[in-house]
Amino acid sequence: MQNDARYERLQHIRLHLSRGGARGVLFVAAEDGSSAEAYARTLWAAVARGEGPVSKWLLLECSALSLPAQA
């Protein structure tokens, strides 16, 4: 992904591939869980819209995990 303002909230991606599919975790900066989920769905739509190898993949689940605030 390009490093520009459209992706500045994306902090880290962890993707695990297997024969049965793939699982991924996105770490994003957001005010709350619903904002993080909406941003992740927007990112996925942009990636899947391309012509690369993930263009035929489907997003089956997207949910926010709450992390404790750092002091």
Side-chain angles (χ1 to χ4, degrees):
M1 283 189 188
Q2 299 173 358
N3 187 13
D4 62 25
R6 291 175 294 172
Y7 307 114
E8 67 186 10
R9 292 172 50 192
L10 181 63
Q11 302 293 310
H12 181 75
I13 298 174
R14 184 171 291 173
L15 184 63
H16 301 277
L17 300 173
S18 70
R19 289 184 179 163
R23 292 187 179 267
V25 178
L26 299 178
F27 294 85
V28 299
E31 292 295 319
D32 55 40
S34 61
S35 296
E37 184 176 335
Y39 182 69
R41 288 183 182 279
T42 300
L43 280 177
W44 177 254
V47 170
R49 193 171 37 243
E51 297 181 16
V54 299
S55 65
K56 296 188 181 359
W57 290 11
L58 300 174
L59 178 61
L60 298 178
E61 181 183 347
C62 181
S63 57
L65 302 173
S66 295
L67 299 176
Q70 294 185 1

